[in-house]
Amino acid sequence: MQDIARGDDKVTGSEQQTLQQNTAHSLDPSEALALNTLQALARADSSTALVAAPGSGKSVTLNYLIQKILADSPNADIWVISAKNDSFCGLREKGRVIVFDGENPDLAKEVIDNFYTSYKQRKQLPETKRESLPPLILILDDWLVIADQLSKHYSDWNFGGKLLDVLLIGREFNTKFIASLQSFNLAALGIEKMDAQTRLCLNLLLLGNRYIKNGREQESYGVLELILNRGDIIPGKQEREQIKSKYLDMKAVSYQNLRPVMIASVGGFVVALMPKLSNQVNCFGAGISR
């Protein structure tokens, strides 16, 4: 995945008809790389931060990851804490989605504590029994807002320490979290010791897009461009410049066609145009029931 597609065949032209035709088909060879990256994230045994501003395609991307996880491991033990009552590929219908209520946050706290208790039980298993463990996954959607509320309600409850434990050691026990954030503020995960070494344990998936809402054009590329100048995230000036060049190529296609662009770190950095995931997500097919 370190061979990052450049996207030299950018789409040009501004006619709306051309735009509608192109969005139904592949716009760039890097879309295949993007799909491979998403599948690698779904199968990864380490935790992931999905960082995207509104309008960037965060929700459909998260559903795609859930779909791939369930397709590979139908018995995966997945729980979701979210600010919205979405289905999350049928997890809501199975009673696995907790809609966070700032006035009554006890249920969210209970889910996190139970998740961590299950993880601690796994840590007691001998090595011979770890290999067959199904995935244990906690999805923290819209996590910045929820984490802030939890910190205010439970000042003595160290949920960040639990997440840090899972981040650093959970991969040994097929346990991870996926945190969905609207800004690149990894410290807001609740993990106080999010230094450069700790961050290396965390997969990153950042999305940016140009989109139209209420008849107005809006952009959400800021979260991507923020990391392009950060040496603690992308070490090495030469590598940062290479990634920036690829990003600018992808941004041109993204901007013209209203299609998200990704920068991801799964071992190495990937820059790619996102495919039309709405054509890929089929949460209730392939044996995944409501």
Side-chain angles (χ1 to χ4, degrees):
M1 293 198 305
Q2 297 189 25
D3 296 329
I4 304 173
R6 289 192 57 85
D8 294 326
D9 58 338
K10 298 188 293 294
V11 176
T12 59
S14 58
E15 290 83 10
Q16 184 66 25
Q17 182 178 0
T18 302
L19 175 63
Q20 291 173 346
Q21 290 173 349
N22 285 340
T23 52
H25 302 89
S26 176
L27 300 173
D28 190 272
S30 69
E31 291 181 41
L33 176 62
L35 273 181
N36 288 338
T37 302
L38 293 177
Q39 291 166 8
L41 285 168
R43 297 186 177 114
D45 53 8
S46 48
S47 297
T48 297
L50 167 57
V51 187
S56 300
K58 176 172 62 71
S59 295
V60 69
T61 300
L62 186 55
N63 277 333
Y64 182 83
L65 292 175
I66 295 172
Q67 172 184 291
K68 289 302 175 186
I69 292 169
L70 290 173
D72 288 341
S73 303
N75 60 340
D77 189 2
I78 307 176
W79 289 87
V80 180
I81 299 175
S82 176
K84 52 186 180 292
N85 191 26
D86 290 355
S87 175
F88 294 96
C89 287
L91 292 174
R92 179 188 62 196
E93 288 75 12
K94 297 176 182 177
R96 294 304 186 97
V97 175
I98 305 303
V99 181
F100 182 75
D101 182 354
E103 296 181 357
N104 185 21
D106 290 352
L107 190 53
K109 180 179 184 298
E110 181 181 347
V111 167
I112 294 174
D113 284 339
N114 289 342
F115 169 80
Y116 190 68
T117 297
S118 297
Y119 164 63
K120 288 197 299 182
Q121 292 171 348
R122 291 183 171 211
K123 292 172 71 174
Q124 299 300 319
L125 295 174
E127 186 175 0
T128 54
K129 293 186 177 181
R130 297 177 197 165
E131 298 177 358
S132 59
L133 288 172
L136 174 61
I137 302 172
L138 179 62
I139 295 176
L140 305 168
D141 189 39
D142 296 317
W143 183 238
L144 292 182
V145 174
I146 295 175
D148 180 66
Q149 291 292 319
L150 289 174
S151 297
K152 293 176 180 177
H153 280 281
Y154 309 106
S155 57
D156 297 330
W157 179 52
N158 186 17
F159 65 85
K162 301 178 191 296
L163 295 180
L164 178 62
D165 189 356
V166 172
L167 175 62
L168 298 179
I169 309 175
R171 62 191 308 160
E172 301 293 332
F173 307 94
N174 209 5
T175 303
K176 64 181 180 181
F177 63 82
I178 300 175
S180 169
L181 315 170
Q182 290 190 357
S183 67
F184 194 78
N185 182 4
L186 299 183
L189 282 168
I191 300 176
E192 296 179 1
K193 299 179 181 179
M194 184 58 78
D195 54 23
Q197 286 300 113
T198 304
R199 204 223 54 76
L200 291 176
C201 300
L202 181 68
N203 298 321
L204 293 178
L205 175 58
L206 301 98
L207 304 176
N209 197 15
R210 168 177 167 259
Y211 61 100
I212 298 175
K213 183 176 182 180
N214 298 327
R216 298 177 57 189
E217 294 186 6
Q218 301 187 51
E219 297 183 23
S220 59
Y221 296 104
V223 69
L224 296 173
E225 295 171 358
L226 177 65
I227 73 163
L228 293 175
N229 297 311
R230 288 188 52 172
D232 59 328
I233 303 298
I234 308 176
K237 182 177 180 180
Q238 183 177 359
E239 184 179 9
R240 285 198 303 276
E241 291 303 316
Q242 290 174 345
I243 292 173
K244 184 182 295 186
S245 176
K246 299 178 196 307
Y247 163 71
L248 291 175
D249 284 348
M250 292 297 99
K251 182 180 179 181
V253 186
S254 168
Y255 190 92
Q256 178 66 31
N257 294 276
L258 309 179
R259 185 78 67 78
V261 59
M262 73 150 61
I263 297 179
S265 174
V266 194
F269 277 91
V270 169
V271 183
L273 187 72
M274 291 284 280
K276 200 170 181 64
L277 285 181
S278 57
N279 295 336
Q280 303 280 341
V281 176
N282 180 23
C283 290
F284 303 118
I288 302 171
S289 62
R290 292 178 184 270

